[in-house]
PDB file of all heavy atoms in Angstrom:
ATOM      1  N   GLY A   2     144.791 132.309 133.796  1.00 34.00           N
ATOM      2  CA  GLY A   2     145.162 132.572 135.168  1.00 34.00           C
ATOM      3  C   GLY A   2     145.649 133.990 135.534  1.00 34.00           C
ATOM      4  O   GLY A   2     145.270 134.530 136.533  1.00 34.00           O
ATOM      5  N   SER A   3     146.426 134.503 134.638  1.00 33.00           N
ATOM      6  CA  SER A   3     146.919 135.880 134.959  1.00 33.00           C
ATOM      7  C   SER A   3     147.351 136.619 133.635  1.00 33.00           C
ATOM      8  O   SER A   3     147.777 135.982 132.719  1.00 33.00           O
ATOM      9  CB  SER A   3     148.178 135.888 135.848  1.00 33.00           C
ATOM     10  OG  SER A   3     149.238 135.198 135.201  1.00 33.00           O
ATOM     11  N   ILE A   4     147.211 137.875 133.711  1.00 32.00           N
ATOM     12  CA  ILE A   4     147.699 138.757 132.639  1.00 32.00           C
ATOM     13  C   ILE A   4     148.824 139.606 133.235  1.00 32.00           C
ATOM     14  O   ILE A   4     148.615 140.359 134.101  1.00 32.00           O
ATOM     15  CB  ILE A   4     146.564 139.653 132.078  1.00 32.00           C
ATOM     16  CG1 ILE A   4     145.504 138.789 131.532  1.00 32.00           C
ATOM     17  CG2 ILE A   4     147.178 140.551 130.947  1.00 32.00           C
ATOM     18  CD1 ILE A   4     145.867 137.940 130.363  1.00 32.00           C
ATOM     19  N   SER A   5     150.005 139.396 132.801  1.00 33.00           N
ATOM     20  CA  SER A   5     151.186 139.988 133.488  1.00 33.00           C
ATOM     21  C   SER A   5     151.603 141.323 132.915  1.00 33.00           C
ATOM     22  O   SER A   5     151.319 141.681 131.804  1.00 33.00           O
ATOM     23  CB  SER A   5     152.355 139.015 133.366  1.00 33.00           C
ATOM     24  OG  SER A   5     152.033 137.699 133.920  1.00 33.00           O
ATOM     25  N   GLY A   6     152.324 142.077 133.810  1.00 32.00           N
ATOM     26  CA  GLY A   6     152.936 143.367 133.385  1.00 32.00           C
ATOM     27  C   GLY A   6     154.346 143.099 133.175  1.00 32.00           C
ATOM     28  O   GLY A   6     154.759 142.492 132.233  1.00 32.00           O
ATOM     29  N   ASP A   7     155.183 143.620 134.108  1.00 31.00           N
ATOM     30  CA  ASP A   7     156.576 143.466 133.961  1.00 31.00           C
ATOM     31  C   ASP A   7     157.172 142.359 134.788  1.00 31.00           C
ATOM     32  O   ASP A   7     158.224 142.441 135.305  1.00 31.00           O
ATOM     33  CB  ASP A   7     157.306 144.803 134.291  1.00 31.00           C
ATOM     34  CG  ASP A   7     156.924 145.312 135.704  1.00 31.00           C
ATOM     35  OD1 ASP A   7     156.137 144.665 136.336  1.00 31.00           O
ATOM     36  OD2 ASP A   7     157.523 146.319 136.089  1.00 31.00           O
ATOM     37  N   SER A   8     156.380 141.311 135.029  1.00 30.00           N
ATOM     38  CA  SER A   8     156.808 140.217 135.883  1.00 30.00           C
ATOM     39  C   SER A   8     157.857 139.363 135.092  1.00 30.00           C
ATOM     40  O   SER A   8     157.899 139.397 133.950  1.00 30.00           O
ATOM     41  CB  SER A   8     155.634 139.319 136.259  1.00 30.00           C
ATOM     42  OG  SER A   8     155.054 138.679 135.150  1.00 30.00           O
ATOM     43  N   LEU A   9     158.510 138.519 135.844  1.00 27.00           N
ATOM     44  CA  LEU A   9     159.575 137.718 135.224  1.00 27.00           C
ATOM     45  C   LEU A   9     159.351 136.310 135.735  1.00 27.00           C
ATOM     46  O   LEU A   9     159.930 135.849 136.731  1.00 27.00           O
ATOM     47  CB  LEU A   9     161.014 138.199 135.590  1.00 27.00           C
ATOM     48  CG  LEU A   9     161.263 139.745 135.364  1.00 27.00           C
ATOM     49  CD1 LEU A   9     162.627 140.090 135.918  1.00 27.00           C
ATOM     50  CD2 LEU A   9     161.150 140.039 133.915  1.00 27.00           C
ATOM     51  N   THR A  10     158.419 135.633 135.187  1.00 29.00           N
ATOM     52  CA  THR A  10     158.055 134.282 135.618  1.00 29.00           C
ATOM     53  C   THR A  10     158.402 133.293 134.561  1.00 29.00           C
ATOM     54  O   THR A  10     158.539 133.487 133.428  1.00 29.00           O
ATOM     55  CB  THR A  10     156.535 134.241 135.854  1.00 29.00           C
ATOM     56  OG1 THR A  10     155.899 134.600 134.620  1.00 29.00           O
ATOM     57  CG2 THR A  10     156.107 135.112 136.999  1.00 29.00           C
ATOM     58  N   TYR A  11     158.682 132.002 135.085  1.00 27.00           N
ATOM     59  CA  TYR A  11     159.209 130.967 134.223  1.00 27.00           C
ATOM     60  C   TYR A  11     158.168 130.010 133.794  1.00 27.00           C
ATOM     61  O   TYR A  11     157.169 129.676 134.526  1.00 27.00           O
ATOM     62  CB  TYR A  11     160.233 130.139 135.012  1.00 27.00           C
ATOM     63  CG  TYR A  11     160.888 129.018 134.210  1.00 27.00           C
ATOM     64  CD1 TYR A  11     161.829 129.255 133.299  1.00 27.00           C
ATOM     65  CD2 TYR A  11     160.437 127.761 134.411  1.00 27.00           C
ATOM     66  CE1 TYR A  11     162.394 128.254 132.509  1.00 27.00           C
ATOM     67  CE2 TYR A  11     161.031 126.724 133.665  1.00 27.00           C
ATOM     68  CZ  TYR A  11     161.911 126.994 132.726  1.00 27.00           C
ATOM     69  OH  TYR A  11     162.404 125.928 132.023  1.00 27.00           O
ATOM     70  N   SER A  12     158.164 129.530 132.574  1.00 29.00           N
ATOM     71  CA  SER A  12     157.284 128.537 132.035  1.00 29.00           C
ATOM     72  C   SER A  12     158.100 127.574 131.209  1.00 29.00           C
ATOM     73  O   SER A  12     158.979 127.903 130.483  1.00 29.00           O
ATOM     74  CB  SER A  12     156.242 129.203 131.104  1.00 29.00           C
ATOM     75  OG  SER A  12     155.459 128.211 130.489  1.00 29.00           O
ATOM     76  N   ASP A  13     157.850 126.293 131.459  1.00 29.00           N
ATOM     77  CA  ASP A  13     158.756 125.276 130.892  1.00 29.00           C
ATOM     78  C   ASP A  13     158.716 125.303 129.405  1.00 29.00           C
ATOM     79  O   ASP A  13     159.700 124.801 128.733  1.00 29.00           O
ATOM     80  CB  ASP A  13     158.203 123.898 131.263  1.00 29.00           C
ATOM     81  CG  ASP A  13     158.489 123.582 132.774  1.00 29.00           C
ATOM     82  OD1 ASP A  13     159.390 124.271 133.309  1.00 29.00           O
ATOM     83  OD2 ASP A  13     157.852 122.748 133.347  1.00 29.00           O
ATOM     84  N   SER A  14     157.686 125.822 128.683  1.00 31.00           N
ATOM     85  CA  SER A  14     157.576 125.783 127.271  1.00 31.00           C
ATOM     86  C   SER A  14     158.211 126.966 126.573  1.00 31.00           C
ATOM     87  O   SER A  14     158.220 127.018 125.357  1.00 31.00           O
ATOM     88  CB  SER A  14     156.094 125.684 126.853  1.00 31.00           C
ATOM     89  OG  SER A  14     155.382 126.827 127.306  1.00 31.00           O
ATOM     90  N   TYR A  15     158.746 127.923 127.306  1.00 32.00           N
ATOM     91  CA  TYR A  15     159.309 129.145 126.744  1.00 32.00           C
ATOM     92  C   TYR A  15     160.801 129.178 126.906  1.00 32.00           C
ATOM     93  O   TYR A  15     161.404 128.532 127.777  1.00 32.00           O
ATOM     94  CB  TYR A  15     158.685 130.399 127.354  1.00 32.00           C
ATOM     95  CG  TYR A  15     157.252 130.447 127.278  1.00 32.00           C
ATOM     96  CD1 TYR A  15     156.438 131.022 128.304  1.00 32.00           C
ATOM     97  CD2 TYR A  15     156.503 129.862 126.150  1.00 32.00           C
ATOM     98  CE1 TYR A  15     155.098 131.037 128.277  1.00 32.00           C
ATOM     99  CE2 TYR A  15     155.197 129.934 126.118  1.00 32.00           C
ATOM    100  CZ  TYR A  15     154.453 130.515 127.167  1.00 32.00           C
ATOM    101  OH  TYR A  15     153.086 130.540 127.138  1.00 32.00           O
ATOM    102  N   ASN A  16     161.534 129.963 126.005  1.00 38.00           N
ATOM    103  CA  ASN A  16     162.926 130.164 126.113  1.00 38.00           C
ATOM    104  C   ASN A  16     163.201 131.311 127.140  1.00 38.00           C
ATOM    105  O   ASN A  16     163.656 132.356 126.772  1.00 38.00           O
ATOM    106  CB  ASN A  16     163.451 130.556 124.808  1.00 38.00           C
ATOM    107  CG  ASN A  16     163.255 129.478 123.820  1.00 38.00           C
ATOM    108  OD1 ASN A  16     163.966 128.478 123.835  1.00 38.00           O
ATOM    109  ND2 ASN A  16     162.382 129.705 122.837  1.00 38.00           N
ATOM    110  N   VAL A  17     163.008 131.003 128.414  1.00 37.00           N
ATOM    111  CA  VAL A  17     163.141 132.089 129.422  1.00 37.00           C
ATOM    112  C   VAL A  17     164.276 131.672 130.368  1.00 37.00           C
ATOM    113  O   VAL A  17     164.353 130.566 130.860  1.00 37.00           O
ATOM    114  CB  VAL A  17     161.859 132.252 130.250  1.00 37.00           C
ATOM    115  CG1 VAL A  17     162.125 133.245 131.371  1.00 37.00           C
ATOM    116  CG2 VAL A  17     160.721 132.734 129.358  1.00 37.00           C
ATOM    117  N   THR A  18     165.229 132.575 130.541  1.00 37.00           N
ATOM    118  CA  THR A  18     166.238 132.392 131.621  1.00 37.00           C
ATOM    119  C   THR A  18     166.037 133.394 132.701  1.00 37.00           C
ATOM    120  O   THR A  18     165.963 133.021 133.860  1.00 37.00           O
ATOM    121  CB  THR A  18     167.625 132.574 131.012  1.00 37.00           C
ATOM    122  OG1 THR A  18     167.777 133.832 130.339  1.00 37.00           O
ATOM    123  CG2 THR A  18     167.913 131.446 129.962  1.00 37.00           C
ATOM    124  N   ASN A  19     165.947 134.660 132.382  1.00 42.00           N
ATOM    125  CA  ASN A  19     165.594 135.719 133.362  1.00 42.00           C
ATOM    126  C   ASN A  19     165.108 136.876 132.602  1.00 42.00           C
ATOM    127  O   ASN A  19     165.144 136.833 131.329  1.00 42.00           O
ATOM    128  CB  ASN A  19     166.872 136.105 134.198  1.00 42.00           C
ATOM    129  CG  ASN A  19     168.032 136.435 133.360  1.00 42.00           C
ATOM    130  OD1 ASN A  19     167.938 137.367 132.585  1.00 42.00           O
ATOM    131  ND2 ASN A  19     169.121 135.690 133.509  1.00 42.00           N
ATOM    132  N   GLY A  20     164.738 137.987 133.279  1.00 51.00           N
ATOM    133  CA  GLY A  20     164.242 139.104 132.534  1.00 51.00           C
ATOM    134  C   GLY A  20     165.157 140.355 132.522  1.00 51.00           C
ATOM    135  O   GLY A  20     164.762 141.341 132.029  1.00 51.00           O
ATOM    136  N   LYS A  21     166.258 140.265 133.265  1.00 59.00           N
ATOM    137  CA  LYS A  21     167.011 141.451 133.474  1.00 59.00           C
ATOM    138  C   LYS A  21     167.711 141.914 132.191  1.00 59.00           C
ATOM    139  O   LYS A  21     168.156 143.109 132.177  1.00 59.00           O
ATOM    140  CB  LYS A  21     168.090 141.238 134.550  1.00 59.00           C
ATOM    141  CG  LYS A  21     169.145 140.166 134.260  1.00 59.00           C
ATOM    142  CD  LYS A  21     170.032 139.975 135.417  1.00 59.00           C
ATOM    143  CE  LYS A  21     171.140 138.903 135.138  1.00 59.00           C
ATOM    144  NZ  LYS A  21     171.979 138.716 136.273  1.00 59.00           N
ATOM    145  N   ASP A  22     167.816 141.123 131.156  1.00 75.00           N
ATOM    146  CA  ASP A  22     168.440 141.514 129.960  1.00 75.00           C
ATOM    147  C   ASP A  22     167.442 142.006 128.826  1.00 75.00           C
ATOM    148  O   ASP A  22     167.868 142.340 127.713  1.00 75.00           O
ATOM    149  CB  ASP A  22     169.313 140.378 129.345  1.00 75.00           C
ATOM    150  CG  ASP A  22     170.432 140.018 130.306  1.00 75.00           C
ATOM    151  OD1 ASP A  22     171.052 140.941 130.872  1.00 75.00           O
ATOM    152  OD2 ASP A  22     170.718 138.789 130.431  1.00 75.00           O
ATOM    153  N   ILE A  23     166.172 142.072 129.122  1.00 82.00           N
ATOM    154  CA  ILE A  23     165.212 142.448 128.193  1.00 82.00           C
ATOM    155  C   ILE A  23     164.616 143.764 128.485  1.00 82.00           C
ATOM    156  O   ILE A  23     164.268 144.162 129.570  1.00 82.00           O
ATOM    157  CB  ILE A  23     163.987 141.441 128.224  1.00 82.00           C
ATOM    158  CG1 ILE A  23     164.336 140.062 127.730  1.00 82.00           C
ATOM    159  CG2 ILE A  23     162.787 141.946 127.420  1.00 82.00           C
ATOM    160  CD1 ILE A  23     164.618 139.969 126.265  1.00 82.00           C
ATOM    161  N   THR A  24     164.605 144.676 127.439  1.00 84.00           N
ATOM    162  CA  THR A  24     164.076 146.039 127.605  1.00 84.00           C
ATOM    163  C   THR A  24     163.118 146.251 126.431  1.00 84.00           C
ATOM    164  O   THR A  24     163.218 145.626 125.394  1.00 84.00           O
ATOM    165  CB  THR A  24     165.133 147.148 127.609  1.00 84.00           C
ATOM    166  OG1 THR A  24     165.884 147.041 126.396  1.00 84.00           O
ATOM    167  CG2 THR A  24     166.089 146.869 128.753  1.00 84.00           C
ATOM    168  N   ALA A  25     162.118 147.160 126.639  1.00 85.00           N
ATOM    169  CA  ALA A  25     161.166 147.455 125.523  1.00 85.00           C
ATOM    170  C   ALA A  25     160.914 149.002 125.589  1.00 85.00           C
ATOM    171  O   ALA A  25     160.592 149.516 126.670  1.00 85.00           O
ATOM    172  CB  ALA A  25     159.870 146.654 125.693  1.00 85.00           C
ATOM    173  N   VAL A  26     160.889 149.666 124.457  1.00 89.00           N
ATOM    174  CA  VAL A  26     160.570 151.099 124.361  1.00 89.00           C
ATOM    175  C   VAL A  26     159.611 151.202 123.239  1.00 89.00           C
ATOM    176  O   VAL A  26     159.767 150.631 122.125  1.00 89.00           O
ATOM    177  CB  VAL A  26     161.868 151.901 124.107  1.00 89.00           C
ATOM    178  CG1 VAL A  26     161.492 153.424 124.021  1.00 89.00           C
ATOM    179  CG2 VAL A  26     162.866 151.713 125.252  1.00 89.00           C
ATOM    180  N   THR A  27     158.592 152.057 123.360  1.00 90.00           N
ATOM    181  CA  THR A  27     157.539 152.209 122.339  1.00 90.00           C
ATOM    182  C   THR A  27     157.594 153.608 121.813  1.00 90.00           C
ATOM    183  O   THR A  27     157.808 154.628 122.579  1.00 90.00           O
ATOM    184  CB  THR A  27     156.119 151.996 122.956  1.00 90.00           C
ATOM    185  OG1 THR A  27     156.078 150.663 123.397  1.00 90.00           O
ATOM    186  CG2 THR A  27     155.093 152.261 121.923  1.00 90.00           C
ATOM    187  N   TYR A  28     157.436 153.746 120.438  1.00 93.00           N
ATOM    188  CA  TYR A  28     157.500 155.000 119.739  1.00 93.00           C
ATOM    189  C   TYR A  28     156.239 155.187 118.984  1.00 93.00           C
ATOM    190  O   TYR A  28     155.740 154.165 118.403  1.00 93.00           O
ATOM    191  CB  TYR A  28     158.731 155.077 118.778  1.00 93.00           C
ATOM    192  CG  TYR A  28     160.039 154.863 119.493  1.00 93.00           C
ATOM    193  CD1 TYR A  28     160.607 153.616 119.579  1.00 93.00           C
ATOM    194  CD2 TYR A  28     160.746 155.913 120.084  1.00 93.00           C
ATOM    195  CE1 TYR A  28     161.804 153.408 120.226  1.00 93.00           C
ATOM    196  CE2 TYR A  28     161.928 155.751 120.689  1.00 93.00           C
ATOM    197  CZ  TYR A  28     162.499 154.435 120.793  1.00 93.00           C
ATOM    198  OH  TYR A  28     163.670 154.228 121.422  1.00 93.00           O
ATOM    199  N   ALA A  29     155.681 156.344 118.871  1.00 92.00           N
ATOM    200  CA  ALA A  29     154.486 156.646 118.068  1.00 92.00           C
ATOM    201  C   ALA A  29     154.907 157.127 116.658  1.00 92.00           C
ATOM    202  O   ALA A  29     155.912 157.664 116.457  1.00 92.00           O
ATOM    203  CB  ALA A  29     153.619 157.692 118.741  1.00 92.00           C
TER     204      ALA A  29
END
């Protein structure tokens, strides 16, 4: 159905509460 970017959507099978506490940084 969708490939998400920085969305914060809920799915019953995941441990999701909200997205405001999650950050990601990438290093080469």
Side-chain angles (χ1 to χ4, degrees):
S3 68
I4 301 296
S5 302
D7 55 358
S8 67
L9 310 175
T10 54
Y11 179 79
S12 172
D13 289 339
S14 60
Y15 303 145
N16 297 288
V17 176
T18 54
N19 54 59
K21 64 184 180 181
D22 295 321
I23 293 287
T24 61
V26 181
T27 298
Y28 304 91

